[in-house]
Amino acid sequence: MRELVYPPVIKTAVGVFKALNIKFRLEGTDNIPSTGGAVLVSNHVSYLDFIFAGLAAHPAKRLVRFMAKKEIFDNRVGGPLMRGMHHIPVDRNAGASSYAAALKALKSGEIVGVFAEATISRSFTVKEIKSGAVRMAVASKVPLVPVALWGPQRMWTKGRKRRLLQRNVPVTILVGEPMYPKRGDDYEAVTQELHARMAELLEKAQREYPDVPRSDETWWQPAYLGGTAPTPEEAEKLDLEEAEARKAARAAREAGESGGQG
């Protein structure tokens, strides 16, 4: 597979991070296999997570093919970049094709990146995750590698203005030990174990983070550490309200389109 886009994108991103004096802490990167397929499963706190989760594989000289919602690929700016980096579009109305594309990549020796929470966690804790990542690893006979990110939410997250040019922001990237699920395992039990490992890594990243938010910046700290981010229960309610609003807007749009055709 020719890589005309991905390496320059990484080089540019690293240059920008250096200019902004982003303070990286990377641990456990030796858990990323140097060859062969793997499913990298990261938590999701910001719109920039695919960049930082991808950097977890950089020391191993590996590229990560992320599964991302189809709408990003439809964007006239982001779409060509995503396709050029051979990421995998996820169409929620045609999930089987996305799953098949991920399996093909894994079986050909690629690392596939998954944000198993599906959407950004407003509470900055690990939301409930589905068993899809486990099933992909089993079907492809590759390891699962948990990853925790902390810090990117300060630059751009759900419900907050972009602050992409902030300087001196610490970003923590922790990579956990691989898991090796196999056929015959209880996939739900393995998924719960994966969730527990991701949550443990994230809590470690949060508790050891070098910055403490100012009094007017406590929004980026989880509630359990005294921040003003929503609790998991509050975040779930907000997610449900947002989903209902999207559903209503889609229904209204479709009704308008059918009315116009009449």
Side-chain angles (χ1 to χ4, degrees):
M1 186 183 297
R2 298 185 66 190
E3 299 293 349
L4 301 178
V5 177
Y6 215 148
V9 167
I10 292 175
K11 187 175 181 180
T12 300
V14 170
V16 171
F17 296 149
K18 186 175 182 180
L20 294 174
N21 196 31
I22 301 298
K23 303 172 182 178
F24 285 102
R25 172 191 174 190
L26 283 87
E27 288 186 8
T29 55
D30 55 338
N31 288 317
I32 303 288
S34 57
T35 60
V39 180
L40 185 154
V41 189
S42 174
N43 69 311
H44 204 3
V45 295
S46 85
Y47 292 109
L48 305 173
D49 289 343
F50 74 97
I51 299 174
F52 294 110
L55 288 179
H58 196 52
K61 296 180 170 56
R62 302 296 304 275
L63 299 175
V64 182
R65 316 298 177 183
F66 284 97
M67 300 186 75
K69 59 184 181 180
K70 178 179 175 292
E71 289 79 359
I72 300 175
F73 291 79
D74 293 336
N75 183 278
R76 63 187 181 87
V77 177
L81 286 174
M82 296 295 282
R83 286 188 289 275
M85 290 185 279
H86 307 292
H87 294 314
I88 301 167
V90 177
D91 185 345
R92 289 173 183 171
N93 296 319
S97 63
S98 306
Y99 185 80
L103 290 186
K104 182 178 179 181
L106 289 166
K107 290 177 180 179
S108 66
E110 299 279 1
I111 296 179
V112 170
V114 176
F115 295 106
E117 297 165 279
T119 57
I120 289 172
S121 171
R122 300 174 193 261
S123 68
F124 304 135
T125 59
V126 182
K127 296 163 59 176
E128 181 181 347
I129 64 176
K130 304 290 187 181
S131 62
V134 173
R135 294 175 187 279
M136 283 195 296
V138 171
S140 306
K141 299 180 180 178
V142 301
L144 278 169
V145 183
V147 173
L149 306 175
W150 188 240
Q153 79 280 6
R154 297 174 63 182
M155 300 179 211
W156 190 16
T157 193
K158 184 175 286 190
R160 292 284 167 177
K161 291 183 179 179
R162 283 176 286 186
R163 299 174 63 185
L164 300 177
L165 298 181
Q166 278 192 93
R167 296 180 56 81
N168 307 315
V169 174
V171 171
T172 300
I173 305 170
L174 303 183
V175 184
E177 293 184 5
M179 299 171 63
Y180 298 90
K182 60 186 184 302
R183 291 194 185 281
D185 287 348
D186 182 332
Y187 292 169
E188 293 302 326
V190 176
T191 299
Q192 289 304 311
E193 174 64 20
L194 173 62
H195 183 282
R197 293 194 186 196
M198 291 170 64
E200 183 179 1
L201 285 171
L202 180 57
E203 182 172 348
K204 173 180 172 66
Q206 291 170 336
R207 290 191 180 278
E208 297 177 359
Y209 193 65
D211 279 8
V212 175
R214 302 191 312 260
S215 59
D216 60 340
E217 289 277 307
T218 56
W219 62 265
W220 59 258
Q221 189 82 304
Y224 85 94
L225 287 178
T228 55
T231 64
E233 295 76 20
E234 291 167 341
E236 183 178 9
K237 183 179 178 181
L238 290 169
D239 286 344
L240 288 172
E241 290 172 353
E242 183 182 63
E244 287 298 321
R246 278 201 309 266
K247 183 179 178 181
R250 184 168 59 250
R253 186 170 59 250
E254 291 172 353
E257 290 173 354
S258 62
Q261 291 171 0

